[in-house]
Amino acid sequence: MRTDNIDRYKTIRSMVRGFFEGLFSALIEKAERGSNDSRPMVVKRLIMDNYENIAGYFTHAMFPIIARINYDSLDDLSAMMKEKHVGDHTPLKVLMRMACGSKEVYECMTSEYRRQMEALLSGHIETPSEHLSVDMIPSTLDPVPVPNAIRGVVRSMMQGYVVGIKATDGTGFQQKTILRLMINGMHTLLHDTEISDWGVNPDLDDIYRIVSKDAENYEVLINEMNQAYEDLAKT
């Protein structure tokens, strides 16, 4: 049975997790080159080296993406920002409160942000299995249309990955990493439990269709990936 909407908290949590997986995938790829350290040691070193910059990375990348999920029209957000005289001096926390649109969404976002930081401080990027195993109280807010949620997660992961690349030497865009990110993103967004049956010797297209759940979601995912590639190529 097709689902037309996704819980707003579930959407925000998948987006936040997606940003962190994208960011640290890029950082890890560079840090592991020529390093003999174990993956947990590399991750712990990276989180400490980048700790003071992460909030800025997150706000810069995620403010417009989260805002598009929570506002029917960005004109409303723009008007609010003008009314509150938002500028370079505005604290990051205030900006993200505006993007979230409500106290409930902001608290969900900050809680997930902390969870992702805790996983990284322990030496790893949270897996889809770990993410889906966390009990979540459903939101009482309006749910998010599935296409919008898919677009939000795709953009969060792609932007996180690009931020990570730019934070190093600005090169090394790996398509295989993007493909993995999208699989994990749809796994956490569109499923409530870990996928246990991937079929027999599935190819990449099979896997994408499994995590997408149906043909409509698959088309939205592929189209948004392609559009994100085009947009990022212009930056």
Side-chain angles (χ1 to χ4, degrees):
M1 181 182 297
R2 175 169 173 78
T3 301
D4 294 323
N5 299 291
I6 297 181
D7 182 89
R8 190 165 293 269
Y9 289 170
K10 183 174 178 61
T11 301
I12 293 296
R13 290 185 64 236
S14 294
M15 290 169 63
V16 174
R17 182 202 167 276
F19 168 83
F20 276 98
E21 184 178 10
L23 173 64
F24 275 83
S25 291
L27 296 177
I28 290 168
E29 285 172 356
K30 297 297 174 63
E32 285 189 330
R33 292 177 185 174
S35 173
N36 294 320
D37 291 338
S38 65
R39 171 64 64 84
M41 287 297 296
V42 169
V43 174
K44 288 178 181 179
R45 184 174 69 250
L46 285 170
I47 188 71
M48 297 308 297
D49 289 347
N50 291 277
Y51 194 87
E52 293 184 357
N53 297 320
I54 291 175
Y57 292 158
F58 182 84
T59 301
H60 179 75
M62 296 297 288
F63 177 85
I65 303 172
I66 290 178
R68 288 190 186 97
I69 289 291
N70 293 303
Y71 288 85
D72 292 332
S73 170
L74 291 184
D75 290 341
D76 296 337
L77 176 59
S78 179
M80 182 192 304
M81 293 174 68
K82 289 181 180 179
E83 180 181 338
K84 295 184 178 297
H85 306 290
V86 171
D88 294 339
H89 63 283
T90 305
L92 300 181
K93 181 184 293 187
V94 173
L95 288 173
M96 292 312 299
R97 283 183 183 273
M98 291 183 184
C100 288
S102 69
K103 178 182 178 181
E104 294 86 351
V105 171
Y106 179 76
E107 290 177 347
C108 172
M109 182 203 73
T110 54
S111 176
E112 188 61 32
Y113 184 105
R114 288 192 297 270
R115 286 190 61 259
Q116 296 306 315
M117 292 289 284
E118 289 169 0
L120 292 163
L121 286 167
S122 71
H124 75 288
I125 297 172
E126 183 191 62
T127 66
S129 175
E130 291 170 330
H131 187 84
L132 291 170
S133 69
V134 176
D135 290 333
M136 183 189 73
I137 299 175
S139 170
T140 58
L141 302 171
D142 290 340
V144 179
V146 171
N148 293 357
I150 291 174
R151 295 185 187 106
V153 172
V154 169
R155 294 289 174 154
S156 298
M157 304 192 95
M158 293 282 276
Q159 287 292 342
Y161 188 60
V162 169
V163 169
I165 290 174
K166 290 181 177 179
T168 54
D169 60 9
T171 62
F173 197 92
Q174 301 290 324
Q175 186 177 27
K176 65 180 181 180
T177 301
I178 295 298
L179 296 176
R180 170 177 56 79
L181 291 174
M182 296 304 112
I183 292 168
N184 289 345
M186 294 306 101
H187 196 163
T188 61
L189 176 69
L190 299 175
H191 299 262
D192 295 322
T193 58
E194 182 181 7
I195 298 172
S196 58
D197 183 8
W198 294 96
V200 179
N201 297 321
D203 61 21
L204 183 61
D205 190 63
D206 293 332
I207 293 172
Y208 266 62
R209 291 184 183 278
I210 290 170
V211 294
S212 297
K213 297 186 76 171
D214 64 41
E216 290 182 46
N217 294 344
Y218 174 85
E219 290 299 323
V220 173
L221 171 61
I222 298 302
N223 289 339
E224 191 64 21
M225 282 177 58
N226 292 335
Q227 186 61 55
Y229 271 121
E230 291 183 20
D231 293 345
L232 292 171
K234 299 174 184 176
T235 61

